[in-house]
Amino acid sequence: QVQIVESGGGLVQPGGSLRLSCAASETVFSIYSMGWYRQAPGKGRELVAAINSAGSTNYARSLEGRFTISRDNAKNTAYLQMNSLKPEDTAVYYCKVDIRSADDSPIYRYWGQGTQVTVSS
């Protein structure tokens, strides 16, 4: 199965920054997209940002440009740079990897274990 390794979560003060990393054990040619979702206490899982193999990105509009997703295809790794963090950003952040073996094949979704991000003074 696809193995997903996340890092970079932790405790940060309001206004601070964190960078999350997500590395997947899959070839760059079969990864359709990678992304980050988050789930706050009492809420459902929501999209934060995603990036496909061509570099096209999709962001939650509520982030107002504070978060930036990028990727390194050679390392099968996606990054989420989080700036100007707010208490409402506190959540478990999950890395998502979508895999397809060919253009006409199904897409399969895999999730990381999640990493806690806590924004508090």
Side-chain angles (χ1 to χ4, degrees):
Q1 64 176 19
V2 175
Q3 300 294 322
I4 300 172
V5 179
E6 300 164 321
S7 63
L11 175 65
V12 65
Q13 293 182 325
S17 298
L18 287 173
R19 190 180 78 155
L20 306 183
S21 298
C22 174
S25 61
E26 186 57 81
T27 66
V28 66
F29 304 103
S30 63
I31 297 178
Y32 178 77
S33 68
M34 302 181 72
W36 292 93
Y37 288 66
R38 68 185 184 186
Q39 187 167 14
K43 297 183 178 180
R45 189 172 297 184
E46 65 176 356
L47 170 71
V48 175
I51 186 167
N52 70 11
S53 59
S56 296
T57 57
N58 185 36
Y59 294 92
R61 295 190 181 277
S62 62
L63 295 178
E64 300 178 347
R66 295 184 296 114
F67 291 7
T68 302
I69 191 169
S70 60
R71 89 260 187 267
D72 184 336
N73 288 337
K75 298 180 179 179
N76 290 334
T77 300
Y79 306 94
L80 183 68
Q81 180 67 44
M82 305 185 292
N83 298 324
S84 301
L85 284 162
K86 304 174 181 180
E88 53 262 41
D89 295 319
T90 296
V92 178
Y93 284 69
Y94 297 91
C95 181
K96 175 218 70 175
V97 181
D98 291 339
I99 303 294
R100 70 174 178 181
S101 59
D103 288 344
D104 59 351
S105 66
I107 298 174
Y108 298 93
R109 177 163 291 181
Y110 300 87
W111 294 95
Q113 79 284 354
T115 183
Q116 178 70 44
V117 172
T118 302
V119 184
S120 176
S121 60

